[in-house]
């Protein structure tokens, strides 16, 4: 069964958001360079559960680069899952 593999969160104040997620969830954000646009500031973290088992990765960007929360679902074949239902797709980004 496909599963959520990554999330991105838009933020207004990066320093405040980094501190919030560290204090509440223990996430340490690491700054990365965007491969798409060098002007985009991107921070990534790895999550884990309360037993220390690795979870999904997450990221955050300034809200002007990412207007809403974005979730990524890992599938073996995008075409296969698109064809399962006749549902209009608002926005689909495929990384192959």
């Amino acid at each position: 069964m496909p599963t959520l593999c990554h999330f991105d969160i838009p933020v207004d104040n990066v320093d405040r958001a980094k501190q919030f997620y560290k204090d509440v969830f223990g996430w340490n954000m690491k700054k990365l360079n965007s491969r798409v646009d060098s002007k985009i500031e991107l921070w990534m973290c790895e999550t884990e559960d309360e037993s220390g088992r690795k979870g999904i990765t997450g990221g955050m960007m300034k809200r002007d680069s990412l207007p809403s929360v974005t979730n990524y679902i890992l599938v073996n074949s995008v075409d296969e899952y698109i064809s399962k239902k006749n549902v209009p797709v608002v926005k689909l980004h495929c990384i192959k």
Side-chain angles (χ1 to χ4, degrees), residues 72-87:
Y72 300 83
I73 300 170
L74 183 63
V75 296
N76 290 328
S77 168
V78 172
D79 295 331
E80 175 188 344
Y81 282 90
I82 289 174
S83 69
K84 284 188 174 195
K85 295 283 184 186
N86 188 13
V87 177

Side-chain angles (χ1 to χ4, degrees), residues 29-63:
M29 294 288 182
K30 177 182 173 185
K31 188 171 183 181
L32 297 178
N33 294 322
S34 171
R35 292 186 266 173
V36 177
D37 184 344
S38 61
K39 296 175 192 164
I40 295 176
E41 295 181 352
L42 173 64
W43 287 264
M44 300 288 290
C45 72
E46 292 184 355
T47 64
E48 58 184 45
D49 67 17
E50 293 171 350
S51 299
R53 292 180 297 225
K54 294 256 184 222
I56 64 175
T57 58
M60 64 181 191
M61 290 180 248
K62 292 203 106 185
R63 191 172 307 279

Side-chain angles (χ1 to χ4, degrees), residues 2-27:
T3 186
L4 188 68
C5 63
H6 182 82
F7 61 87
D8 283 322
I9 302 169
V11 300
D12 294 314
N13 181 311
V14 172
D15 292 330
R16 184 179 65 207
K18 284 179 11 185
Q19 192 63 52
F20 170 82
Y21 289 113
K22 181 178 178 88
D23 292 347
V24 175
F25 301 114
W27 297 349

